[in-house]
Amino acid sequence: MEKTEWVFGEILIQEPMTALTDLIITTVCLIGFYKLYNLSRQNDGYMKNFAYFVLFMGLGTLFAAILTHAFDYVFNPEQLTKAEIKELNWKNKFQINLHNLPNWVFNVISTTLFEISVIQRAKYYLKNYNFSIIKWFVVIESTIISILLMYNLSYDIASIHIGIALFVVSMPLQVKIYKKYKAPDAKLLIIGSLIMLIVVPVMITKFEITKWFNFNDISHVVIATTMYLFYLAGLNFYDNKLNEELSAKRIH
């Protein structure tokens, strides 16, 4: 892949469009976190983990924009390729990937918070459902992912974590909820997750419209769209909770 760059006087910015599209995700996430966190505070901390999921996703993409893309050359002056980095021993690979770790670690934390949140939310609908197996699965899976991430030092591990969270943990629950209750938040989570599937062929084929809008940029636009839909789902959590509380008051 040919790296694009902008030069402003003495400042070099590599992959500017990739950094910019990462910052679009960050913007969606930080605005979403602000609104969802305030709603959580107004509702005694209800679904606080979902707000933090959005926050950590935003922080991850912020670090990715600045450290992984725009100024990668500062931390990787020899501009080693991924294949060349892969051949290094673990210590050298760790040193050259230090600037990538904030993005990767925040991404893993964010995804685990998403898994915890969808379980918490599913309890609202599926009151007689046994969630203990799913909880243990999330604990074990997140632990294994964290170990593998530090051992392999590759974003691919974080990507696997995202896939498991969306389609192994969340999707079966959302389908059950939507089929039974037609819940708008479940519908939004399903649509957002399905949109994320676009990323897979784009990344595998390295599809690009131009060198200024490559597979990374397309994927970031898709992720920003998904995060916006997830934010809307988060707003619905509180709307439904409020409606249930009002209904309970009317009954009493």
Side-chain angles (χ1 to χ4, degrees), residues 64-76:
I66 298 169
L67 304 182
T68 301
H69 298 293
F71 300 105
D72 175 68
Y73 64 90
V74 174
F75 309 95
N76 178 17

Side-chain angles (χ1 to χ4, degrees), residues 52-214:
Y52 280 113
F53 143 64
V54 175
L55 172 64
F56 277 101
M57 179 60 74
L59 292 176
T61 53
L62 176 62
F63 281 111
I66 298 169
L67 304 182
T68 301
H69 298 293
F71 300 105
D72 175 68
Y73 64 90
V74 174
F75 309 95
N76 178 17
E78 295 180 19
Q79 292 290 272
L80 297 177
T81 65
K82 288 183 179 179
E84 290 169 333
I85 293 172
K86 195 174 181 181
E87 296 301 316
L88 300 174
N89 61 45
W90 186 88
K91 183 180 178 181
N92 290 335
K93 192 192 295 187
F94 180 80
Q95 289 173 340
I96 208 164
N97 274 306
L98 266 175
H99 65 297
N100 292 318
L101 282 176
N103 170 30
W104 297 349
V105 171
F106 281 150
N107 205 295
V108 169
I109 293 171
S110 172
T111 303
T112 299
L113 287 170
F114 174 78
E115 292 175 318
I116 293 168
S117 299
V118 295
I119 292 170
Q120 180 186 356
R121 182 58 181 166
K123 286 181 178 179
Y124 174 84
Y125 291 105
L126 309 174
K127 300 187 186 298
N128 298 318
Y129 197 82
N130 187 348
F131 287 95
S132 58
I133 294 175
I134 304 176
K135 286 180 182 176
W136 275 110
F137 174 81
V138 168
V139 170
I140 294 168
E141 180 259 340
S142 295
T143 302
I144 292 172
I145 286 291
S146 299
I147 294 169
L148 288 175
L149 176 68
M150 295 310 297
Y151 178 76
N152 289 293
L153 296 170
S154 169
Y155 180 74
D156 292 342
I157 304 300
S159 298
I160 291 169
H161 191 33
I162 293 170
I164 292 171
L166 292 179
F167 298 104
V168 178
V169 176
S170 177
M171 186 65 78
L173 294 174
Q174 306 316 320
V175 170
K176 279 179 184 291
I177 293 167
Y178 187 70
K179 284 175 71 174
K180 191 169 183 180
Y181 299 101
K182 303 298 180 190
D185 49 292
K187 182 179 179 181
L188 287 163
L189 289 171
I190 290 169
I191 293 171
S193 299
L194 292 176
I195 287 173
M196 279 293 288
L197 289 173
I198 296 170
V199 171
V200 178
V202 168
M203 296 300 289
I204 289 174
T205 61
K206 307 292 185 187
F207 176 77
E208 63 180 29
I209 297 171
T210 74
K211 69 177 184 178
W212 291 95
F213 201 76
N214 62 31

Side-chain angles (χ1 to χ4, degrees), residues 186-251:
K187 182 179 179 181
L188 287 163
L189 289 171
I190 290 169
I191 293 171
S193 299
L194 292 176
I195 287 173
M196 279 293 288
L197 289 173
I198 296 170
V199 171
V200 178
V202 168
M203 296 300 289
I204 289 174
T205 61
K206 307 292 185 187
F207 176 77
E208 63 180 29
I209 297 171
T210 74
K211 69 177 184 178
W212 291 95
F213 201 76
N214 62 31
F215 55 92
N216 282 324
D217 313 327
I218 296 167
S219 297
H220 290 167
V221 171
V222 171
I223 294 168
T225 303
T226 289
M227 290 307 299
Y228 178 70
L229 290 172
F230 282 6
Y231 158 67
L232 294 180
L235 294 182
N236 271 278
F237 296 164
Y238 299 103
D239 286 343
N240 289 352
K241 184 174 183 291
L242 178 61
N243 290 336
E244 186 178 78
E245 289 172 352
L246 289 173
S247 296
K249 286 179 181 178
R250 288 193 194 103
I251 291 170

Side-chain angles (χ1 to χ4, degrees), residues 7-53:
V7 180
F8 296 95
E10 304 260 332
I11 300 174
L12 167 65
I13 299 177
Q14 287 187 328
E15 301 183 291
M17 190 57 69
T18 304
L20 178 61
T21 50
D22 254 335
L23 291 175
I24 291 172
I25 301 172
T26 299
T27 302
V28 171
C29 289
L30 293 184
I31 293 172
F33 168 71
Y34 174 77
K35 295 189 177 181
L36 293 173
Y37 182 74
N38 283 335
L39 284 170
S40 173
R41 288 184 64 186
Q42 293 165 23
N43 287 272
D44 301 319
Y46 180 66
M47 292 303 290
K48 182 170 63 176
N49 285 326
F50 193 82
Y52 280 113
F53 143 64

